[in-house]
Amino acid sequence: MENRLILITITGQDRPGVIAKVAQLIADTDGARIRDIEQTTTHTQMVLTLLLDLSAGGSSEKPLIKDLLFQAKEMGLDLDFAVISEDDYRRKTAGNTYVVTILGSRVDARSLAEVTGLLAEASANVVRISKLTQRELRCVELLISTDGQLDIPALKRQLLQVGGSQRVDVAVQKERLYRRAKRLVVMDMDSTLIQVEVIDELARLAGVGEDVARITEQAMNGELDFGQSLAARVALLKGLKEEALDEVYRSIPFTPGARNLVHILKRLGFRTAVISGGFKFFTDRLQQELGLDYAFANQLEIVNGEVTGRTMGRIVDGECKAQLLEEIAEREGVTLDQVIAIGDGANDLPMLGKAGLGIAFNAKARVREQADTHINQQSLDSILYLLGLSEREMDEISA
């Protein structure tokens, strides 16, 4: 005989003891058991849903429904119920689930309508909505389900367009264990962890700023081979005094939220790394100042206190970044699914592609289009929302 499932929905003013009284009535009913339960509260208004399985006993559900209706009325609450088939319940719980995060300086009704409209067109149903920010609505997390497989690349392209028009970022992730079990965060340095391109700052002091900036821009857009562009730019720095490197480091502006991001990650037990196509002189100092676990970059050759215009050792290009990410993950004993990579340039794409979550942060158009996830926010610690952390939790950890 098919199971008799009853979906109970209780709404009204939230108060202590509601679940206790409802659960007691169910416990006192022979053969009744709770198969599913969920409660949400917005300000003071509560929605409590329970799925009851009455197949184990011989008693009718009518006395229990009557008692629940009476108890709800006594508490000033509204109660509704519906019969659910076992097949329908299995279909609802067997689908694929994803998490969609909408993030911006403000998430308004228009952006919600545009995003959820696309999800509806993809036959995805919103199961749960959570606000991750306090006070103003700046980040919303949607749990969605679908009976089939979503065409994630196509959906992301559409959401990228919607996000651009609505000035919000929209990220889609498969809801699974590894989304909540990240253990390693690997970051680019220039224009990611810090707000400048170090080589451009050095070039400015060397009097070749415009020449180097032009080559840098071409490299970031993927128009030039990174190794060749690095060699060309470094050659222009020949004769620069070593003291200039110290001067640049002392004036480096960190990206807003960078220090807080690293602080929270370390408090949560994450391992952190900076892998840069810049120079080891700077990543080593960042590692020490921020307490990062790993730092890799190109070695700038300095002889007799002057830059020679050459680098030493292997070039940290895009492929090298991806390889270093794998090496760190193996050393730390974590899977690639447990790795987050953050970068902004074309040479970061191989690294972003290797990680379980690759994030293009304030990146060029080509990088945004190819990366799994993109974030165009002022603060680097906004990335923590993609892990499901709320603003309240971040404040608690930061304190």
Side-chain angles (χ1 to χ4, degrees):
M1 187 176 81
E2 185 179 19
N3 289 358
R4 291 144 54 196
L5 304 179
I6 309 294
L7 181 65
I8 304 293
T9 305
I10 301 173
T11 60
Q13 186 85 12
D14 192 22
R15 68 194 67 193
V18 173
I19 295 178
K21 292 178 180 179
V22 170
Q24 188 62 55
L25 286 174
I26 298 170
D28 292 341
T29 301
D30 183 41
R33 67 187 181 98
I34 300 173
R35 284 273 293 270
D36 204 348
I37 184 170
E38 188 167 335
Q39 176 176 324
T40 60
T41 303
T42 304
H43 295 291
T44 61
Q45 294 299 302
M46 171 202 73
V47 178
L48 171 63
T49 56
L50 305 100
L51 187 66
L52 306 183
D53 187 338
L54 302 173
S55 60
S59 59
S60 169
E61 67 268 14
K62 292 181 180 179
L64 175 57
I65 299 298
K66 181 179 178 182
D67 290 343
L68 288 171
L69 283 166
F70 179 79
Q71 184 65 72
K73 185 176 181 181
E74 286 285 300
M75 294 185 290
L77 303 172
D78 295 320
L79 184 146
D80 197 6
F81 65 93
V83 177
I84 304 294
S85 71
E86 182 70 32
D87 287 344
D88 187 50
Y89 176 66
R90 286 176 179 170
R91 282 195 299 270
K92 292 295 184 183
T93 56
N96 295 293
T97 56
Y98 300 83
V99 170
V100 177
T101 307
I102 310 173
L103 175 64
S105 58
R106 185 182 66 171
V107 178
D108 59 15
R110 177 64 60 190
S111 55
L112 277 173
E114 294 282 349
V115 171
T116 54
L118 281 178
L119 296 175
E121 290 175 7
S123 300
N125 182 53
V126 177
V127 177
R128 186 180 68 238
I129 304 178
S130 303
K131 175 187 175 186
L132 297 186
T133 50
Q134 302 183 79
R135 296 175 293 279
E136 294 295 327
L137 191 63
R138 291 179 286 106
C139 185
V140 177
E141 183 180 272
L142 311 178
L143 180 67
I144 65 172
S145 67
T146 176
D147 291 340
Q149 289 284 349
L150 286 178
D151 185 348
I152 295 298
L155 180 60
K156 285 183 176 180
R157 285 193 296 271
Q158 293 176 303
L159 291 173
L160 180 64
Q161 295 178 347
V162 168
S165 65
Q166 298 301 317
R167 297 185 179 180
V168 295
D169 296 316
V170 188
V172 182
Q173 300 177 71
K174 180 75 174 174
E175 175 60 352
R176 53 178 181 165
L177 172 63
Y178 283 128
R179 186 181 84 90
R180 303 181 303 277
K182 298 290 190 291
R183 290 294 176 265
L184 170 64
V185 176
V186 176
M187 297 167 280
D188 179 37
M189 179 178 68
D190 299 277
S191 299
T192 300
L193 194 56
I194 61 176
Q195 288 188 297
V196 296
E197 295 288 326
V198 163
I199 196 167
D200 289 348
E201 298 303 303
L202 294 174
R204 180 178 54 82
L205 293 179
V208 291
E210 291 185 5
D211 294 333
V212 167
R214 183 168 55 254
I215 300 172
T216 299
E217 182 71 15
Q218 291 174 315
M220 292 292 289
N221 287 325
E223 298 169 12
L224 288 178
D225 172 78
F226 179 82
Q228 293 175 335
S229 68
L230 178 66
R233 289 176 291 171
V234 171
L236 292 171
L237 300 179
K238 183 177 180 180
L240 185 67
K241 299 295 183 182
E242 187 174 4
E243 291 79 5
L245 278 68
D246 280 311
E247 180 182 340
V248 168
Y249 184 78
R250 287 194 301 268
S251 63
I252 280 178
F254 280 88
T255 299
R259 291 181 184 274
N260 191 47
L261 171 66
V262 175
H263 173 69
I264 289 176
L265 291 173
K266 289 174 67 65
R267 289 288 299 272
L268 291 174
F270 281 76
R271 304 292 278 179
T272 55
V274 57
I275 303 179
S276 173
F279 303 120
K280 196 171 184 296
F281 179 94
F282 298 94
T283 56
D284 284 354
R285 283 157 180 75
L286 285 175
Q287 179 182 17
Q288 183 175 6
E289 184 171 346
L290 297 178
L292 303 173
D293 298 294
Y294 298 92
F296 297 94
N298 296 295
Q299 180 67 57
L300 192 61
E301 185 181 68
I302 299 175
V303 176
N304 297 326
E306 291 186 356
V307 175
T308 67
R310 297 185 297 271
T311 59
M312 301 186 300
R314 66 174 174 176
I315 298 299
V316 181
D317 57 9
E319 293 305 317
C320 182
K321 284 189 172 191
Q323 182 181 346
L324 286 168
L325 181 148
E326 289 185 296
E327 291 175 4
I328 297 171
E330 183 177 0
R331 189 179 308 174
E332 292 294 334
V334 301
T335 67
L336 293 179
D337 281 328
Q338 294 176 284
V339 180
I340 300 172
I342 310 166
D344 72 302
N347 65 320
D348 293 314
L349 282 171
M351 178 175 76
L352 302 185
K354 286 285 184 183
L357 176 60
I359 304 171
F361 180 75
N362 292 335
K364 302 294 187 293
R366 178 194 167 200
V367 182
R368 289 200 306 270
E369 292 168 0
Q370 294 189 35
D372 283 342
T373 303
H374 74 277
I375 294 291
N376 287 329
Q377 300 295 318
Q378 290 185 345
S379 187
L380 190 59
D381 58 4
S382 61
I383 285 165
L384 294 167
Y385 290 121
L386 301 184
L387 302 182
L389 286 176
S390 69
E391 187 176 29
R392 179 187 59 78
E393 291 168 330
M394 293 182 212
D395 290 344
E396 181 181 341
I397 296 170
S398 295

